[in-house]
Amino acid sequence: MTTLEVQNLSMSYRSTAAVSELSFSVAAGEIVGILGASGCGKTTTLRCIAGLLRPTSGRILLDGVPMVDETVFVQPEARGIGMVFQSYALWPHLTVANNVAYGLKRNGVPSEERRRRVEEALSLVSLDGYGTRYPGELSGGQQQRVAVARSIVTRPKALLLDEPLSNLDAKLRERMREDLRELLRPLDICTVFITHDQAEAMVIADRIIVMRDGRSVREGTARELYTAPGSQFVASILGAASFLRGVVKSVEPHCVVVATDQGHHLAASCNGDARPSPGNEVLIAIRPEAVTLHPYAEASGNCLPGTVQRASFLGGHSEFIIETVAGEVRAHSNAWFEPGAQVALAIASDGCSLVTPD
Amino acid sequence: MTTTASRTTSAAPPVVRPRRRLKPWNMLLWVGAAVVAAAVLTPIVYLVIGAFHRDTDGGMTGGGLSLANLHAVYGSTKYLRPLGNSVLLGALVALCSTVLGGVLAWICERTDVPFRRLFAVLIPIPIFISPLLTSLAWVALAAPRAGFLNASVHAVVPSINSVMTIYSMQGVVMVLTLHLTPYAYLAIRAALSTIDPSLEEASTTLGVSKLATAWRMTLPLVRPAIITSALLIFVFAIEDFSAPSLLGTPAGFTTIPSEVYFDVARGGTVGEAAMAGSLLLWLAVLGLSLQRRVIARTARYGSIGGKPSGRRVIALGPWRYLAAGVSLLYVLMALIGPYCALVYGSFLRFVTPHINRRNMTLDNFRRMISVDNIDALQHTLVLAFVGSTAALIIYLFVAFVLARTHMYGRRLLDYTSILPFALPGIVIGIGLLWAFVSLPQLGIYGTVLGLAVAYAVRYMGLGVQQIKGAFVQITPDLEGSASTLGASRFVVFRTITLPLLARSIRAVWTTLVVLFSLEISATILLYTPSSRTLPVLIWNEVQEDPPAAFAIASVELTAIFVVLALSRAFVRQSSDSFSAG
């Protein structure tokens, strides 16, 4: 089984560290997404794996064979790792077919087989018949698929994708997300892609690594990261969340009861390593869909009162910004409330969790 | 290439290529860079050595160090006049060329002038007609009384003997302006084309008239281009040797380059000429450092850019015929007139304005390919094609090292390669003359190889900067993706980098072919009877037998037009294949 292992990878440019002590591994057939804001070191990580950069320290192993460590540096051409560049990096002077055939030619694949495999690869990305075109004659989405075809036609052991969909417009990006996943799934190779788009990461990746300032902050499936973000940063980079401060009132087996300043009680799930004890000051993240809005008159039990600040009708649901005594809360609701309306917020505990503040 | 350009900007992440590990590869880079640096620094070092050298009976090898030359040049008034003339000439030419070039650029970029495309093709061509050829052609056109133009006017209006005299400072200014205007035209036109027309539209919607908009909005936006091209033209004008020598000297108008040349040619002291050459060096360095400073400062105009969204044209109404007239006049004076004069003059037995069959002959062409001159033709062909190709390969190497490696000391190499920009041809000539004579073991004094070295040094700044610019256009991702697909460094260069650079390289090569076949400023001090070139023949025949000079010049110019046309056709053809790429 092929695996890609990154161990304690660090890379600094002059004195600034772009990546520090990053470790993760990818199994064959697994798609790992690295999610982070621009400048967090994700592209540097990818380039180190591809061999376009030599890391300052750390090891990268492919199939147990070191590509980089203290003494070894395997040149990119000898690694057998495919890469799709953010700019696609298609060669404008070669036809689509010659772009795709380039890697096969370099690896000495005979011309008959080469032609067959190029055709296969192009039909895999639904670009049959485009072989004689030049990249400049294709749309952005088509160029992106040529770039993917070019990198998988050589059957690499690992595939790296640098912001594969970021150059496409929003509609196309949404469709290509699913297409890309369908395309990569059966390949059975180690795939790493980086993105700053949480939806892209959630749709395509089996596992997400959240990066910040060159370090990995959190790793897990999209579900795990969404329901139990653990930190304010992860909660805000993956989906929307509102943050409220409070003091721990009591600790239950599966949740923590938190009191806001005004004495309202909220039940929040807690999956962090440290169990807080009563009296601790904590931060809770509230997902907008965990909030149920009621007209103020119907308020009961542990509801948080608030006033609608802004209301946006989004079609399937509406989004509200509610000013409460404890702070601003974002809420989704099927019902409609006019700005200025008095509402009561009921918050479900599974969409409300304790997070460590930044 | 628009897509490529936008890709370059979108590739934000820092790109650092793996450090070079291979020892032999590093060695090769180092040796190459050292050789290039030595070639550039040699003329400068020997210029200094020469300047502080005491000549013994015109000999350059004997003698010791002395400050005599320093005294003769900086301590006397002998060079004050030529220096003043050089500065005046440079300033006037810079002013005239920039104004004319700016007007032509605005006409071709922003107005509905008739035959716009034709003018846009023709206006840059005079760059390729050296000042020597332009001067020669204007001697034919406007020599006192005998010039075709003067004689024609005299025939119509007998009271005017000569409508203009080319042997004057005005003549020198005019010839150099005609030759250098395209530099300003190209720079200002490029700047105009990057201004978002909506910026100007915004101004017109605010009630500002079109011409006021052009004056108050457009002019400030292209000001950096105007200033930088004016400074560059100043440097080119002060370093020119042929126009002031040919046209200014008879009128007593001497500049530093012509003074330096006549110092050496009249058997004066080469050491003093070297010291005088340093005056020119200061001026050139001053002009270019000012230019670099302006370029560095213009970064703040970058944000104004916006996306060019098509050409916006100002309807000039009846004024468009005036605009066409101005453009036509320039093309006639700088290109068509001189060429016709040279061609016509080359069929004459002697210079005469009278058109008469008995005055016509083919002897000039026969003599040109006579045994005496055939070697000069061969030398020029070898220099133009073999010499320029060799120089191109060297420039490509330097540009590659600068743009694609992380070699230690490459900043120094960068500066060294720009240095020749500030080295006037005649200064390179003196420096290398001294070097070649002092180092007889090189065995290249007076050889065609010696000339090739001088040319390669002279045009290094131009060649390296242009090719480096082409490298920058190619995002390193294009090469990186080839590496990840299994291509070694050499294969990447051959299959990806080189084809993508091909168009720029071809353009640079064309320019070099033309420049190498017309070089005179350095040649004039370095040639010997066994290494004459066509420009040298022209220079020597100008006084003796002008029609012979016309013949050589018209043949050379025709050949250059053919080269330019072929190159243009080639570029068109190859750009069709991946136009959108």
Side-chain angles (χ1 to χ4, degrees):
Chain A
M1 276 309 254
T2 325
T3 51
L4 173 68
E5 275 176 84
V6 174
Q7 301 172 347
N8 304 321
L9 184 78
S10 293
M11 174 76 201
S12 31
Y13 298 98
R14 295 209 173 81
S15 58
T16 17
V19 179
S20 10
E21 297 292 317
L22 183 68
S23 299
F24 64 90
S25 69
V26 188
E30 192 184 19
I31 305 176
V32 167
I34 301 181
L35 178 65
S38 57
C40 75
K42 45 194 201 315
T43 296
T44 303
T45 305
L46 219 55
R47 285 178 174 269
C48 286
I49 300 172
L52 298 172
L53 283 177
R54 191 184 171 126
T56 322
S57 65
R59 280 153 52 94
I60 295 169
L61 302 134
L62 187 61
D63 256 346
V65 180
M67 296 287 114
V68 174
D69 60 22
E70 293 78 38
T71 51
V72 180
F73 181 77
V74 179
Q75 292 291 330
E77 61 262 31
R79 293 195 181 188
I81 296 179
M83 177 151 175
V84 176
F85 289 78
Q86 183 176 14
S87 61
Y88 313 141
L90 299 178
W91 301 301
H93 63 298
L94 299 179
T95 59
V96 166
N98 285 337
N99 261 281
V100 178
Y102 188 89
L104 298 175
K105 219 184 221 168
R106 298 284 88 81
N107 293 322
V109 175
S111 71
E112 198 50 43
E113 191 191 339
R114 204 156 68 208
R115 195 167 322 125
R116 190 176 50 74
R117 279 170 68 176
V118 168
E119 264 170 41
E120 268 175 26
L122 283 178
S123 89
L124 197 63
V125 296
S126 334
L127 281 176
D128 321 65
Y130 281 84
T132 55
R133 305 270 194 102
Y134 281 90
E137 300 167 347
L138 304 184
S139 70
Q142 290 168 332
Q143 290 183 8
Q144 197 268 342
R145 283 181 282 159
V146 175
V148 172
R150 184 177 70 179
S151 59
I152 60 175
V153 74
T154 52
R155 296 175 191 148
K157 293 180 214 140
L159 180 65
L160 312 171
L161 301 101
D162 186 353
E163 303 262 1
L165 304 177
S166 68
N167 280 350
L168 306 177
D169 59 63
K171 268 263 154 56
L172 190 59
R173 194 157 46 201
E174 223 163 279
R175 219 187 56 218
M176 290 293 288
R177 282 207 287 261
E178 274 102 50
D179 287 0
L180 196 59
R181 187 188 164 81
E182 291 312 302
L183 188 71
L184 296 176
R185 179 115 333 272
L187 291 181
D188 212 36
I189 54 180
C190 310
T191 305
V192 181
F193 79 98
I194 62 179
T195 180
H196 62 265
D197 179 345
Q198 46 127 340
E200 209 170 295
M202 292 170 102
V203 172
I204 303 173
D206 299 320
R207 194 147 50 87
I208 297 173
I209 297 169
V210 178
M211 261 184 92
R212 186 186 195 192
D213 298 333
R215 294 170 188 280
S216 157
V217 229
R218 190 81 206 277
E219 196 179 323
T221 65
R223 272 182 72 84
E224 286 164 6
L225 264 54
Y226 189 83
T227 51
S231 71
Q232 188 179 5
F233 178 74
V234 176
S236 54
I237 198 169
L238 224 72
S242 317
F243 299 97
L244 296 183
R245 299 199 162 277
V247 177
V248 175
K249 193 86 181 154
S250 63
V251 181
E252 312 286 325
H254 293 292
C255 69
V256 179
V257 176
V258 178
T260 63
D261 295 348
Q262 272 64 32
H264 294 279
H265 290 183
L266 294 172
S269 56
C270 175
N271 0 57
D273 304 327
R275 303 288 295 179
S277 35
N280 286 7
E281 277 214 18
V282 290
L283 190 70
I284 48 178
I286 301 163
R287 297 292 181 190
E289 64 279 359
V291 180
T292 316
L293 294 181
H294 301 287
Y296 190 66
E298 295 168 22
S300 65
N302 236 335
C303 278
L304 204 56
T307 314
V308 176
Q309 286 283 314
R310 254 186 303 148
S312 320
F313 180 69
L314 298 176
H317 64 272
S318 300
E319 189 176 86
F320 302 94
I321 308 285
I322 317 285
E323 183 71 45
T324 72
V325 282
E328 257 184 17
V329 176
R330 187 185 293 264
H332 288 172
S333 173
N334 292 328
W336 178 253
F337 299 91
E338 290 294 335
Q342 296 286 310
V343 288
L345 291 74
I347 297 166
S349 68
D350 58 347
C352 173
S353 59
L354 285 193
V355 291
T356 53
D358 285 344
Chain B
M1 297 296 279
T2 44
T3 326
T4 320
S6 64
R7 275 180 199 155
T8 315
T9 48
S10 68
V15 179
V16 179
R17 309 253 315 172
R19 259 158 285 171
R20 310 288 167 197
R21 290 257 137 180
L22 291 157
K23 273 274 161 4
W25 171 250
N26 271 337
M27 288 281 281
L28 184 74
L29 288 185
W30 269 97
V31 170
V35 168
V36 167
V40 174
L41 294 175
T42 300
I44 301 175
V45 168
Y46 275 91
L47 184 81
V48 174
I49 292 177
F52 289 101
H53 200 270
R54 186 174 58 236
D55 285 25
T56 49
D57 306 325
M60 286 156 57
T61 39
L65 289 178
S66 108
L67 295 176
N69 299 321
L70 186 72
H71 204 75
V73 174
Y74 289 90
S76 79
T77 52
K78 185 184 168 193
Y79 287 91
L80 213 53
R81 250 187 99 79
L83 182 65
N85 285 343
S86 277
V87 173
L88 182 67
L89 176 70
L92 283 174
V93 171
L95 180 72
C96 297
S97 296
T98 311
V99 170
L100 183 57
V103 168
L104 292 173
W106 183 74
I107 288 174
C108 285
E109 186 63 32
R110 282 294 150 88
T111 71
D112 58 345
V113 69
F115 303 110
R116 194 182 64 85
R117 280 165 183 279
L118 185 66
F119 285 132
V121 172
L122 293 180
I123 289 172
I125 297 179
I127 268 187
F128 295 108
I129 310 177
S130 69
L132 175 64
L133 298 190
T134 317
S135 304
L136 186 64
W138 275 93
V139 166
L141 285 166
R145 281 193 293 279
F148 307 135
L149 210 62
N150 283 333
S152 316
V153 174
H154 178 66
V156 181
V157 190
S159 62
I160 301 176
N161 256 333
S162 292
V163 71
M164 63 187 295
T165 304
I166 199 66
Y167 295 116
S168 60
M169 185 192 79
Q170 293 90 319
V172 180
V173 171
M174 186 190 79
V175 161
L176 287 179
T177 299
L178 291 174
H179 168 63
L180 293 172
T181 292
Y183 284 101
Y185 166 81
L186 291 172
I188 297 171
R189 192 167 170 202
L192 278 174
S193 72
T194 57
I195 296 177
D196 187 348
S198 62
L199 288 175
E200 290 168 332
E201 277 157 10
S203 167
T204 38
T205 56
L206 292 171
V208 184
S209 82
K210 282 175 196 164
L211 278 177
T213 296
W215 185 253
R216 292 218 298 251
M217 275 283 307
T218 316
L219 194 66
L221 286 177
V222 295
R223 195 181 290 142
I226 292 174
I227 296 172
T228 52
S229 50
L231 287 168
L232 197 63
I233 289 170
F234 175 82
V235 172
F236 288 158
I238 57 164
E239 76 156 307
D240 182 61
F241 140 82
S242 44
S245 313
L246 200 59
L247 308 174
T249 314
F253 178 78
T254 57
T255 61
I256 299 281
S258 61
E259 194 69 28
V260 166
Y261 166 68
F262 288 113
D263 267 1
V264 178
R266 292 197 199 104
T269 64
V270 181
E272 192 179 314
M275 187 60 88
S278 71
L279 288 173
L280 208 51
L281 199 57
W282 300 136
L283 280 182
V285 167
L286 180 73
L288 281 170
S289 52
L290 277 176
Q291 193 226 14
R292 300 226 116 209
R293 185 175 276 194
V294 176
I295 289 177
R297 261 210 344 227
T298 51
R300 69 198 163 105
Y301 284 84
S303 56
I304 304 175
K307 273 188 184 165
S309 50
R311 211 170 63 90
R312 194 191 58 146
V313 163
I314 296 175
L316 287 180
W319 292 101
R320 53 204 285 263
Y321 298 106
L322 179 71
V326 171
S327 311
L328 184 65
L329 189 66
Y330 173 72
V331 171
L332 279 179
M333 286 177 69
L335 179 63
I336 298 174
Y339 183 62
C340 292
L342 288 176
V343 171
Y344 174 67
S346 61
F347 288 102
L348 294 176
R349 280 182 206 284
F350 45 87
V351 180
T352 168
H354 303 293
I355 301 175
N356 188 325
R357 271 202 61 181
R358 272 175 299 144
N359 294 340
M360 309 292 271
T361 178
L362 287 174
D363 276 355
N364 298 320
F365 295 104
R366 259 179 233 128
R367 259 187 299 154
M368 184 184 149
I369 51 166
S370 69
V371 194
D372 278 355
N373 292 338
I374 197 79
D375 61 330
L377 180 65
Q378 284 170 351
H379 295 158
T380 295
L381 284 175
V382 167
L383 284 167
F385 292 101
V386 183
S388 68
T389 309
L392 182 76
I393 292 169
I394 295 167
Y395 302 163
L396 186 63
F397 166 79
V398 175
F400 174 80
V401 171
L402 295 180
R404 285 292 191 269
T405 70
H406 288 262
M407 196 181 84
Y408 183 74
R410 77 185 192 293
R411 282 190 84 89
L412 211 61
L413 185 64
D414 196 9
Y415 288 127
T416 315
S417 73
I418 296 172
L419 214 52
F421 251 130
L423 284 184
I426 200 131
V427 169
I428 292 178
I430 301 182
L432 284 181
L433 175 65
W434 207 288
F436 292 167
V437 171
S438 312
L439 305 167
Q441 51 273 40
L442 285 178
I444 56 175
Y445 172 64
T447 62
V448 175
L449 179 63
L451 293 180
V453 170
Y455 299 0
V457 170
R458 184 170 180 201
Y459 298 116
M460 181 173 292
L462 179 118
V464 169
Q465 290 302 309
Q466 298 231 339
I467 301 176
K468 208 175 88 182
F471 265 111
V472 172
Q473 289 283 308
I474 302 173
T475 138
D477 281 357
L478 290 172
E479 291 153 335
S481 58
S483 306
T484 61
L485 289 168
S488 67
R489 188 175 296 137
F490 177 73
V491 173
V492 172
F493 187 76
R494 184 172 57 80
T495 57
I496 305 296
T497 318
L498 213 50
L500 289 174
L501 284 176
R503 242 190 301 181
S504 316
I505 289 178
R506 206 177 290 128
V508 173
W509 186 70
T510 306
T511 311
L512 290 178
V513 167
V514 174
L515 290 173
F516 274 45
S517 64
L518 292 173
E519 214 291 332
I520 183 78
S521 297
T523 318
I524 201 72
L525 293 177
L526 289 171
Y527 85 94
T528 58
S530 62
S531 60
R532 295 181 306 166
T533 63
L534 290 185
V536 169
L537 287 190
I538 295 174
W539 175 256
N540 289 340
E541 296 285 12
V542 168
Q543 313 295 340
E544 315 270 314
D545 183 7
F550 297 154
I552 302 165
S554 61
V555 167
E556 211 179 349
L557 209 46
T558 309
I560 284 167
F561 289 156
V562 171
V563 167
L564 290 178
L566 284 178
S567 160
R568 205 181 145 78
F570 232 117
V571 169
R572 273 244 189 93
Q573 198 189 25
S574 67
S575 65
D576 285 345
S577 58
F578 56 98
S579 50

